[in-house]
Amino acid sequence: MDLEKLLLEFENAVVKQHEYTKSGDWKKGNIQTDRIAKTHAQFISMGEVGKQALLQLTRSNRPELALMAAIYSMRYRPEQCLEVLRKLSSQEIPHISFTAKIAIDDWSNNDWNLD
């Protein structure tokens, strides 16, 4: 899959996952979570180009997209990602602010399970 299609796939999966989670449809949300993980693996397989492309999504105006891009980019750019997560955690965005706080805590406690 080319990089532009991969970025779109990641974005679509994140947006759908967020919407399904907000509406309480965890089953459909989990399907999208699996899609997010698979696209992340494809970004990583592209090497530095893929990692940088994913990292650019941390600057998205869509908080759910910035959140997930930061979470999935933590291992190779923690300072930048923590900055994004701190900003999101300080806002009052349902699901997003809470998830950002949990991610910060997990990273700070060396309890990071996402690669």
Side-chain angles (χ1 to χ4, degrees):
M1 184 178 299
D2 75 11
L3 192 55
E4 289 302 317
K5 286 182 182 177
L6 191 58
L7 286 164
L8 186 58
E9 176 76 16
F10 186 85
E11 182 175 353
N12 288 336
V14 167
V15 170
K16 286 180 182 178
Q17 189 270 347
H18 180 68
E19 291 302 318
Y20 290 140
T21 300
K22 280 185 1 185
S23 70
D25 193 338
W26 300 102
K27 187 174 183 178
K28 287 183 179 178
N30 287 339
I31 291 168
Q32 298 308 313
T33 299
D34 290 343
R35 285 181 59 207
I36 293 166
K38 287 176 184 173
T39 57
H40 174 252
Q42 289 178 294
F43 281 119
I44 297 304
S45 73
M46 295 174 142
E48 195 60 30
V49 170
K51 291 177 182 178
Q52 290 302 316
L54 181 58
L55 193 61
Q56 293 303 312
L57 295 178
T58 64
R59 297 185 179 121
S60 174
N61 290 330
R62 294 193 74 131
E64 67 272 25
L65 187 54
L67 171 74
M68 294 305 279
I71 287 172
Y72 278 91
S73 298
M74 282 290 282
R75 285 277 187 216
Y76 49 92
R77 198 58 66 86
E79 300 82 17
Q80 181 178 342
C81 294
L82 284 169
E83 182 180 326
V84 170
L85 293 172
R86 287 183 187 114
K87 179 180 174 188
L88 292 170
S89 72
S90 70
Q91 300 171 9
E92 293 187 26
I93 307 169
H95 300 287
I96 292 171
S97 298
F98 177 76
T99 302
K101 288 175 188 173
I102 296 297
I104 292 167
D105 288 346
D106 286 352
W107 182 262
S108 298
N109 295 326
N110 293 317
D111 195 22
W112 196 253
N113 295 320
L114 185 64
D115 284 322

